[in-house]
């Protein structure tokens, strides 16, 4: 019977979850992704102090898998680009889980640090494969196949006509976790808005936009986020509005949010910052969204 490898549905899962699952499956193990976030998952993750809501959710997911799997897959992603880093709490995830889960399943926690070149990724792949009894060559082959499958382009969605266009900016682990973001995208769509997210931006244009910022953003994923948002703001015509969705107490996001607010102001684009934590009330969020969308409608000619 193949070993079961747990993948917590949180944080970098929303960037690489599909390729991780494919890689583990090709190594001969069975990936087990935790179910979607719920209130009990957040409450369980709340036992970790001094972290943001997405990290609490991640830890809750790891806890939910602990007694159901043989191993946990928790890569330590230090950097995915030269000169840039992941958030310190993302880098420390394996340590947080090890400390908070004594006696839990063993971790597969290879270190990915592309500041040291592509060989770091190869070493991480080989290390993960060895944990499941695979040779270095086979592990590299398995990763390549999983990555090729992950990179297949998705079909383009049709663009609705006549709707006000709102760019909803946020990390995938917030926007795609319906419990954390309280399905803000669905709420905006129900209010008659066309919602655009950062993954729809051209990656090259986003990288160029981020590089042109007066202040370098050192955090990988915040840099990608800012570049995508700036690409939308620079478009002609610009969007009708922008909402930046972040988690309370996220230091890197606070800097990105301020820069986006300034750029949006220069383009005359209404900007709304929404900071979420486990105490955010849904009724209050809906009220803010209704006020924002009403204001956008009144601005339209």
């Amino acid at each position: 019977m193949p070993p079961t490898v747990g993948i917590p549905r949180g944080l970098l899962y929303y960037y690489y979850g599909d390729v991780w699952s494919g890689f583990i499956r090709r190594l001969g193990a069975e990936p087990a992704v935790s179910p979607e976030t719920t209130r009990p998952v957040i409450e369980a993750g709340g036992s970790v102090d001094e972290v943001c809501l997405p990290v609490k959710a991640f830890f809750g997911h790891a806890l939910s898998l602990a007694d159901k799997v043989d191993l946990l897959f928790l890569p330590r992603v230090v950097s995915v680009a030269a000169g840039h880093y992941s958030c310190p709490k993302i880098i420390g995830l394996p340590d947080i889980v090890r400390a908070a889960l004594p006696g839990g399943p063993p971790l597969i926690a290879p270190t990915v640090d592309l500041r040291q070149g592509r060989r770091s990724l190869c070493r991480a792949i080989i290390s993960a494969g060895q944990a499941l009894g695979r040779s270095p060559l086979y592990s590299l082959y398995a990763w390549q196949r999983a990555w090729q499958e992950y990179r297949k382009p998705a079909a383009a969605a049709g663009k609705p006509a006549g709707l006000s266009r709102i760019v909803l900016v946020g990390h995938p682990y917030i926007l795609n976790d319906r419990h954390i973001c309280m399905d803000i995208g669905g709420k905006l769509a129900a209010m008659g808005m066309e919602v655009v997210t950062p993954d729809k931006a051209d990656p090259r244009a986003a990288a160029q936009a981020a590089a042109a910022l007066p202040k370098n953003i050192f955090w990988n994923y915040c840099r990608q986020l800012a570049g995508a948002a700036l690409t939308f703001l620079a478009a002609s015509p610009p969007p009708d509005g922008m909402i930046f969705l972040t988690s309370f107490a996220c230091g890197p996001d606070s800097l990105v949010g301020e820069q986006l607010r300034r750029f949006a102001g220069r383009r005359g684009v209404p900007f709304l910052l929404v900071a979420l934590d486990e105490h955010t009330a849904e009724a209050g969020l809906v009220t803010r969204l209704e006020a924002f969308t009403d204001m956008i409608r009144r601005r339209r000619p």
Side-chain angles (χ1 to χ4, degrees):
M1 189 173 180
T4 304
V5 179
I7 304 176
R9 188 186 294 268
L11 296 173
L12 298 185
Y13 165 81
Y14 287 103
Y15 291 85
Y16 312 115
D18 290 342
V19 69
W20 288 351
S21 294
F23 176 54
I24 289 168
R25 192 174 292 110
R26 290 180 183 281
L27 291 175
E30 186 61 36
V33 180
S34 53
E36 293 197 3
T37 305
T38 60
R39 170 58 61 182
V41 167
I42 298 288
E43 289 174 354
S47 58
V48 179
D49 294 330
E50 305 295 331
V51 295
C52 61
L53 178 59
V55 173
K56 290 179 181 177
F58 181 90
F59 183 64
H61 281 285
L63 275 175
S64 73
L65 289 168
D67 59 350
K68 301 180 179 69
V69 299
D70 301 304
L71 302 140
L72 277 175
F73 188 70
L74 301 180
R76 186 192 305 277
V77 181
V78 177
S79 171
V80 295
H84 303 116
Y85 302 84
S86 298
C87 161
K89 291 179 176 115
I90 287 180
I91 296 174
L93 282 177
D95 302 316
I96 294 173
V97 173
R98 275 197 187 98
L101 260 181
L107 305 187
I108 302 176
T111 297
V112 178
D113 186 357
L114 296 193
R115 296 173 307 150
Q116 301 174 7
R118 303 292 295 180
R119 288 186 179 180
S120 169
L121 177 60
C122 294
R123 287 194 291 270
I125 294 167
I126 291 170
S127 171
Q130 286 175 334
L132 292 169
R134 293 294 184 172
S135 68
L137 190 60
Y138 186 86
S139 301
L140 292 169
Y141 168 76
W143 177 265
Q144 184 183 20
R145 292 298 304 274
W147 186 256
Q148 288 172 345
E149 185 69 23
Y150 166 72
R151 298 285 290 181
K152 283 184 179 177
K159 181 181 181 303
L163 300 181
S164 296
R165 191 172 191 233
I166 290 182
V167 179
L168 183 58
V169 183
H171 294 284
Y173 51 76
I174 295 178
L175 295 185
N176 296 319
D177 188 317
R178 288 188 296 178
H179 184 86
I180 289 180
C181 78
M182 293 183 278
D183 193 24
I184 189 171
K187 288 181 170 60
L188 288 168
M191 294 174 188
M193 299 288 120
E194 179 202 350
V195 180
V196 182
T197 48
D199 59 312
K200 302 299 187 298
D202 177 71
R204 289 188 179 181
Q208 290 173 356
L213 282 167
K215 294 285 186 182
N216 188 20
I217 299 176
F218 295 102
W219 304 283
N220 297 316
Y221 303 106
C222 286
R223 184 181 177 85
Q224 293 173 9
L225 197 65
L230 292 174
T231 302
F232 289 121
L233 288 174
S236 184
D240 297 298
M242 175 171 282
I243 298 176
F244 184 50
L245 199 58
T246 183
S247 58
F248 178 74
C250 176
D253 271 8
S254 65
L255 300 176
V256 171
E258 178 58 23
Q259 296 213 38
L260 293 183
R261 186 189 64 78
R262 294 181 185 184
F263 274 87
R266 291 173 198 160
R267 291 286 282 161
V269 176
F271 183 85
L272 175 65
L273 171 68
V274 177
L276 300 168
D277 66 11
E278 58 267 52
H279 305 298
T280 302
E282 185 164 351
L285 174 66
V286 171
T287 300
R288 294 186 69 189
L289 295 180
E290 287 175 341
F292 190 68
T293 54
D294 284 348
M295 180 264 294
I296 286 175
R297 286 193 188 93
R298 286 198 297 271
R299 286 168 52 96
R300 294 197 72 173

Coordinates of all heavy atoms in Angstrom, one line a residue, residues 10-16 20 48 50-56 58-59 73-80 84-98 107 109-112 171-174 219-224 247 250 252-253:
G10 N -3.3 25.4 2.4 CA -3.1 26.7 2.9 C -1.8 27.3 2.3 O -1.0 26.6 1.8
L11 N -1.7 28.6 2.3 CA -0.5 29.4 1.9 C 0.0 28.9 0.5 O -0.7 29.0 -0.5 CB 0.5 29.3 3.0 CG 0.2 29.9 4.3 CD1 1.2 29.6 5.4 CD2 0.0 31.4 4.2
L12 N 1.2 28.3 0.4 CA 1.7 28.0 -0.9 C 1.0 26.9 -1.6 O 1.3 26.7 -2.8 CB 3.2 27.7 -0.8 CG 4.1 28.9 -0.2 CD1 5.5 28.5 -0.2 CD2 3.8 30.2 -1.0
Y13 N 0.1 26.2 -0.9 CA -0.7 25.2 -1.6 C -1.4 25.9 -2.8 O -1.6 25.3 -3.9 CB -1.7 24.6 -0.7 CG -2.8 23.8 -1.4 CD1 -2.5 22.5 -1.9 CD2 -4.0 24.4 -1.7 CE1 -3.5 21.8 -2.6 CE2 -5.0 23.7 -2.4 CZ -4.7 22.4 -2.9 OH -5.7 21.7 -3.6
Y14 N -1.9 27.1 -2.6 CA -2.6 27.8 -3.6 C -1.8 28.3 -4.8 O -2.3 28.8 -5.7 CB -3.4 29.0 -3.0 CG -4.6 28.5 -2.2 CD1 -4.5 28.5 -0.8 CD2 -5.7 28.0 -2.8 CE1 -5.6 28.0 0.0 CE2 -6.8 27.5 -2.0 CZ -6.7 27.5 -0.6 OH -7.7 27.0 0.1
Y15 N -0.4 28.2 -4.6 CA 0.5 28.5 -5.7 C 0.9 27.2 -6.4 O 1.0 27.2 -7.7 CB 1.7 29.2 -5.2 CG 1.5 30.6 -4.7 CD1 1.1 30.9 -3.4 CD2 1.7 31.7 -5.6 CE1 0.9 32.2 -3.0 CE2 1.6 33.0 -5.1 CZ 1.2 33.2 -3.8 OH 1.0 34.5 -3.4
Y16 N 1.2 26.2 -5.7 CA 1.9 25.0 -6.2 C 1.2 23.7 -5.9 O 1.7 22.6 -6.1 CB 3.3 24.9 -5.7 CG 4.1 26.2 -5.7 CD1 4.5 26.8 -4.6 CD2 4.4 26.8 -7.0 CE1 5.2 28.0 -4.6 CE2 5.1 27.9 -7.0 CZ 5.6 28.6 -5.9 OH 6.3 29.7 -5.9
W20 N 2.6 19.9 -6.7 CA 3.0 19.1 -5.6 C 2.2 17.8 -5.6 O 2.8 16.7 -5.4 CB 2.7 19.8 -4.3 CG 3.6 21.0 -4.0 CD1 4.8 21.3 -4.7 CD2 3.5 21.9 -3.0 NE1 5.4 22.4 -4.2 CE2 4.6 22.8 -3.1 CE3 2.6 22.2 -1.9 CZ2 4.8 23.9 -2.2 CZ3 2.8 23.2 -1.1 CH2 3.9 24.1 -1.2
V48 N -1.5 28.7 17.6 CA -0.2 29.3 17.3 C -0.3 30.8 17.5 O -1.2 31.5 16.9 CB 0.2 29.0 15.9 CG1 1.6 29.6 15.5 CG2 0.3 27.5 15.7
E50 N 1.0 35.0 17.5 CA 1.8 36.0 16.8 C 1.9 35.7 15.3 O 3.0 35.9 14.7 CB 3.2 36.1 17.4 CG 3.2 36.4 18.9 CD 2.6 37.7 19.2 OE1 2.7 38.6 18.4 OE2 2.1 37.9 20.3
V51 N 0.9 35.1 14.7 CA 0.9 34.9 13.3 C -0.4 35.4 12.7 O -1.4 35.7 13.4 CB 1.1 33.4 12.9 CG1 2.4 32.8 13.4 CG2 -0.1 32.5 13.5
C52 N -0.4 35.6 11.3 CA -1.5 36.1 10.7 C -2.6 35.0 10.4 O -2.3 33.8 10.6 CB -1.1 36.7 9.3 SG -0.4 35.6 8.2
L53 N -3.8 35.4 10.0 CA -4.9 34.5 9.8 C -4.5 33.3 8.8 O -4.8 32.2 9.1 CB -6.1 35.2 9.3 CG -7.4 34.4 9.0 CD1 -7.8 33.6 10.3 CD2 -8.5 35.3 8.5
P54 N -3.9 33.6 7.7 CA -3.6 32.5 6.8 C -2.6 31.5 7.4 O -2.7 30.3 7.1 CB -2.9 33.2 5.5 CG -3.5 34.5 5.5 CD -3.7 34.9 7.0
V55 N -1.7 31.9 8.2 CA -0.8 31.0 8.9 C -1.6 30.1 9.9 O -1.4 28.9 10.1 CB 0.4 31.7 9.6 CG1 1.2 30.7 10.4 CG2 1.3 32.3 8.5
K56 N -2.5 30.8 10.6 CA -3.4 30.0 11.6 C -4.2 29.0 10.8 O -4.3 27.8 11.3 CB -4.3 31.0 12.3 CG -3.6 31.9 13.3 CD -4.6 32.8 14.0 CE -3.8 33.7 15.0 NZ -4.8 34.7 15.6
F58 N -3.4 27.6 8.0 CA -2.4 26.5 7.5 C -2.1 25.5 8.7 O -2.2 24.3 8.4 CB -1.1 27.2 7.1 CG -0.1 26.2 6.6 CD1 -0.1 25.8 5.2 CD2 0.8 25.6 7.4 CE1 0.8 24.9 4.7 CE2 1.7 24.7 7.0 CZ 1.7 24.3 5.6
F59 N -1.9 26.1 9.8 CA -1.6 25.2 11.0 C -2.8 24.3 11.3 O -2.7 23.1 11.6 CB -1.1 26.0 12.2 CG -0.7 25.1 13.3 CD1 0.3 24.2 13.2 CD2 -1.5 25.1 14.5 CE1 0.7 23.4 14.3 CE2 -1.1 24.3 15.6 CZ 0.0 23.4 15.5
F73 N 3.9 17.0 3.8 CA 4.7 17.6 2.8 C 4.7 19.1 3.1 O 3.7 19.8 2.8 CB 4.2 17.3 1.4 CG 5.1 17.8 0.3 CD1 6.3 17.2 0.0 CD2 4.7 18.9 -0.6 CE1 7.2 17.6 -1.0 CE2 5.6 19.3 -1.6 CZ 6.8 18.7 -1.8
L74 N 5.8 19.7 3.5 CA 6.0 21.1 3.9 C 7.3 21.7 3.4 O 8.2 21.8 4.2 CB 5.9 21.2 5.5 CG 4.7 20.7 6.2 CD1 4.8 21.0 7.7 CD2 3.4 21.4 5.7
P75 N 7.4 21.9 2.2 CA 8.6 22.5 1.7 C 9.0 23.9 2.3 O 8.1 24.6 2.6 CB 8.3 22.7 0.2 CG 7.2 21.8 -0.1 CD 6.4 21.8 1.1
R76 N 10.2 24.1 2.6 CA 10.7 25.4 3.1 C 11.1 26.2 1.9 O 12.2 26.1 1.4 CB 11.9 25.2 4.1 CG 12.3 26.5 4.8 CD 13.6 26.3 5.5 NE 13.6 25.2 6.4 CZ 13.2 25.3 7.7 NH1 12.7 26.4 8.1 NH2 13.2 24.2 8.4
V77 N 10.2 27.1 1.5 CA 10.4 27.9 0.3 C 11.0 29.3 0.8 O 10.3 30.2 1.2 CB 9.1 28.2 -0.5 CG1 9.4 29.0 -1.7 CG2 8.5 26.8 -0.9
V78 N 12.4 29.4 0.7 CA 13.1 30.6 1.1 C 13.0 31.6 0.0 O 12.8 32.8 0.3 CB 14.6 30.2 1.4 CG1 15.3 31.5 1.8 CG2 14.7 29.2 2.5
S79 N 13.2 31.2 -1.3 CA 13.2 32.2 -2.3 C 12.9 31.5 -3.6 O 13.3 30.4 -3.9 CB 14.6 32.9 -2.4 OG 14.7 33.7 -3.6
V80 N 12.1 32.2 -4.5 CA 11.9 31.6 -5.8 C 12.4 32.5 -6.9 O 12.1 32.4 -8.1 CB 10.4 31.4 -6.1 CG1 9.8 30.3 -5.2 CG2 9.6 32.7 -5.9
H84 N 15.3 37.9 -3.9 CA 14.0 38.1 -3.2 C 13.7 36.9 -2.3 O 14.3 35.8 -2.5 CB 12.9 38.2 -4.2 CG 13.0 39.3 -5.2 ND1 13.2 39.2 -6.5 CD2 13.1 40.7 -5.0 CE1 13.4 40.4 -7.1 NE2 13.3 41.3 -6.2
Y85 N 12.8 37.1 -1.3 CA 12.6 36.2 -0.3 C 11.1 35.9 -0.1 O 10.3 36.8 -0.4 CB 13.2 36.7 1.1 CG 14.6 37.0 1.1 CD1 15.1 38.2 0.6 CD2 15.6 36.0 1.5 CE1 16.4 38.5 0.6 CE2 16.9 36.4 1.5 CZ 17.3 37.6 1.0 OH 18.7 37.9 1.0
S86 N 10.8 34.8 0.5 CA 9.5 34.6 1.0 C 9.3 35.3 2.4 O 10.2 35.7 3.0 CB 9.2 33.1 1.2 OG 9.3 32.4 0.0
C87 N 8.0 35.4 2.7 CA 7.7 36.0 4.1 C 8.4 35.1 5.1 O 8.4 33.9 5.0 CB 6.2 36.0 4.3 SG 5.6 36.1 6.0
P88 N 9.0 35.7 6.2 CA 9.6 34.9 7.2 C 8.8 33.8 7.8 O 9.3 32.7 8.1 CB 10.0 35.9 8.3 CG 10.1 37.2 7.5 CD 9.1 37.1 6.4
K89 N 7.5 34.0 7.9 CA 6.6 33.0 8.5 C 6.4 31.8 7.5 O 6.2 30.7 8.0 CB 5.3 33.6 8.9 CG 5.4 34.6 10.1 CD 4.2 35.2 10.5 CE 4.4 36.1 11.7 NZ 4.2 37.5 11.5
I90 N 6.4 32.1 6.2 CA 6.4 31.0 5.3 C 7.6 30.2 5.3 O 7.6 29.0 5.3 CB 6.1 31.6 3.8 CG1 4.7 32.0 3.7 CG2 6.4 30.5 2.8 CD1 4.3 32.6 2.4
I91 N 8.8 30.9 5.4 CA 10.1 30.2 5.5 C 10.1 29.3 6.8 O 10.6 28.2 6.8 CB 11.2 31.2 5.6 CG1 11.3 32.0 4.3 CG2 12.5 30.4 5.9 CD1 12.3 33.1 4.3
G92 N 9.5 29.7 7.9 CA 9.5 29.0 9.1 C 8.4 28.0 9.3 O 8.3 27.3 10.4
L93 N 7.6 27.7 8.3 CA 6.4 26.8 8.5 C 6.8 25.4 9.0 O 6.2 24.9 9.9 CB 5.7 26.7 7.2 CG 4.7 27.8 6.9 CD1 4.1 27.6 5.5 CD2 3.6 28.0 7.9
P94 N 7.9 24.8 8.4 CA 8.2 23.5 8.9 C 8.6 23.5 10.4 O 8.3 22.6 11.2 CB 9.4 23.0 8.1 CG 9.3 23.8 6.8 CD 8.7 25.1 7.2
D95 N 9.3 24.6 10.8 CA 9.7 24.7 12.2 C 8.5 24.9 13.1 O 8.4 24.3 14.2 CB 10.7 25.8 12.4 CG 11.9 25.7 11.6 OD1 12.4 24.5 11.5 OD2 12.3 26.6 10.9
I96 N 7.5 25.7 12.7 CA 6.3 26.0 13.5 C 5.5 24.7 13.7 O 5.1 24.3 14.8 CB 5.4 27.0 12.7 CG1 6.1 28.4 12.7 CG2 4.0 27.1 13.4 CD1 5.3 29.4 11.9
V97 N 5.4 23.9 12.6 CA 4.6 22.7 12.7 C 5.4 21.6 13.5 O 4.8 20.9 14.4 CB 4.3 22.1 11.3 CG1 3.7 20.7 11.4 CG2 3.4 23.1 10.5
R98 N 6.7 21.5 13.4 CA 7.5 20.6 14.2 C 7.3 20.9 15.7 O 7.1 20.0 16.5 CB 8.9 20.6 13.8 CG 9.3 19.8 12.6 CD 10.8 19.6 12.6 NE 11.2 18.9 11.3 CZ 11.7 19.5 10.3 NH1 11.8 20.8 10.3 NH2 12.0 18.8 9.2
L107 N 8.1 14.9 8.6 CA 7.9 15.9 7.6 C 8.8 15.7 6.4 O 10.0 15.3 6.6 CB 8.2 17.3 8.1 CG 7.4 17.8 9.3 CD1 7.8 19.3 9.6 CD2 5.9 17.6 9.2
A109 N 10.4 18.1 4.1 CA 10.6 19.5 4.2 C 11.8 20.0 3.4 O 12.8 20.5 4.0 CB 10.6 20.0 5.6
P110 N 11.9 19.7 2.1 CA 13.1 20.2 1.4 C 13.2 21.7 1.3 O 12.1 22.4 1.3 CB 12.9 19.6 0.0 CG 11.4 19.5 -0.1 CD 10.9 19.2 1.2
T111 N 14.4 22.2 1.3 CA 14.6 23.7 1.2 C 14.7 24.1 -0.2 O 15.6 23.6 -1.0 CB 15.8 24.1 2.0 OG1 15.5 23.8 3.4 CG2 16.0 25.6 1.9
V112 N 13.9 25.1 -0.7 CA 14.0 25.7 -2.0 C 14.5 27.1 -1.8 O 13.8 27.9 -1.2 CB 12.6 25.7 -2.7 CG1 12.7 26.3 -4.1 CG2 12.0 24.3 -2.8
H171 N -3.4 37.8 -2.1 CA -2.7 36.5 -2.3 C -3.7 35.4 -2.6 O -4.8 35.4 -2.1 CB -1.9 36.2 -1.1 CG -0.8 37.2 -0.8 ND1 0.4 37.2 -1.5 CD2 -0.7 38.2 0.1 CE1 1.2 38.2 -1.0 NE2 0.5 38.8 0.0
P172 N -3.2 34.4 -3.4 CA -4.1 33.3 -3.7 C -4.6 32.6 -2.5 O -5.8 32.1 -2.5 CB -3.3 32.4 -4.6 CG -2.3 33.3 -5.2 CD -2.0 34.4 -4.2
Y173 N -3.8 32.6 -1.4 CA -4.3 31.8 -0.2 C -5.3 32.6 0.5 O -5.9 32.1 1.5 CB -3.1 31.5 0.7 CG -2.1 32.6 1.0 CD1 -2.5 33.6 2.0 CD2 -0.9 32.7 0.4 CE1 -1.6 34.6 2.3 CE2 0.0 33.7 0.7 CZ -0.4 34.7 1.7 OH 0.5 35.7 2.0
I174 N -5.6 33.8 0.1 CA -6.7 34.6 0.7 C -7.9 34.6 -0.3 O -9.0 34.2 0.1 CB -6.3 36.0 1.0 CG1 -5.3 36.1 2.1 CG2 -7.5 36.9 1.4 CD1 -4.8 37.5 2.5
W219 N 10.0 40.7 -1.0 CA 9.2 39.5 -0.8 C 8.6 39.0 -2.1 O 7.9 39.7 -2.8 CB 8.1 39.7 0.2 CG 8.6 40.3 1.5 CD1 9.3 39.6 2.5 CD2 8.6 41.6 2.0 NE1 9.6 40.4 3.5 CE2 9.2 41.7 3.2 CE3 8.1 42.8 1.4 CZ2 9.4 42.8 3.9 CZ3 8.3 44.0 2.1 CH2 8.9 44.0 3.4
N220 N 9.0 37.7 -2.5 CA 8.6 37.2 -3.8 C 7.1 37.4 -4.1 O 6.8 38.0 -5.2 CB 8.8 35.7 -3.8 CG 10.2 35.3 -3.6 OD1 11.1 35.8 -4.1 ND2 10.5 34.2 -2.7
Y221 N 6.3 36.9 -3.2 CA 4.9 36.9 -3.6 C 4.2 38.3 -3.5 O 3.3 38.5 -4.3 CB 4.2 35.8 -2.7 CG 4.8 34.5 -2.9 CD1 5.6 33.9 -1.9 CD2 4.7 33.8 -4.1 CE1 6.2 32.7 -2.1 CE2 5.3 32.5 -4.3 CZ 6.1 32.0 -3.2 OH 6.8 30.8 -3.4
C222 N 4.7 39.1 -2.6 CA 4.2 40.5 -2.6 C 4.6 41.2 -3.9 O 3.8 42.1 -4.4 CB 4.7 41.2 -1.4 SG 3.9 40.7 0.2
R223 N 5.8 40.9 -4.3 CA 6.3 41.6 -5.5 C 5.4 41.2 -6.7 O 5.0 42.0 -7.6 CB 7.7 41.2 -5.8 CG 8.4 41.9 -6.9 CD 9.9 41.4 -7.1 NE 10.5 41.9 -8.2 CZ 11.1 43.1 -8.3 NH1 11.2 43.8 -7.2 NH2 11.7 43.5 -9.4
Q224 N 5.1 39.9 -6.8 CA 4.2 39.4 -7.9 C 2.9 40.1 -7.8 O 2.3 40.5 -8.8 CB 4.1 37.9 -7.9 CG 5.4 37.2 -8.1 CD 5.2 35.7 -7.9 OE1 4.1 35.2 -7.7 NE2 6.3 34.9 -7.9
S247 N -4.6 40.3 5.2 CA -4.9 39.8 6.5 C -4.3 40.7 7.5 O -3.2 41.3 7.3 CB -4.3 38.4 6.7 OG -2.9 38.4 6.5
C250 N -0.3 41.7 8.6 CA 0.7 41.3 7.6 C 1.6 42.5 7.3 O 1.2 43.4 6.6 CB 0.0 40.8 6.3 SG 1.2 40.3 5.0
P252 N 4.5 42.8 5.2 CA 4.7 43.0 3.8 C 3.5 43.6 3.1 O 3.7 44.5 2.3 CB 5.1 41.7 3.3 CG 5.7 40.9 4.5 CD 4.9 41.4 5.6
D253 N 2.4 43.1 3.3 CA 1.2 43.6 2.6 C 0.9 45.1 3.0 O 0.3 45.8 2.2 CB -0.1 42.7 3.0 CG -0.2 41.6 2.0 OD1 0.7 41.3 1.2 OD2 -1.3 40.9 2.1

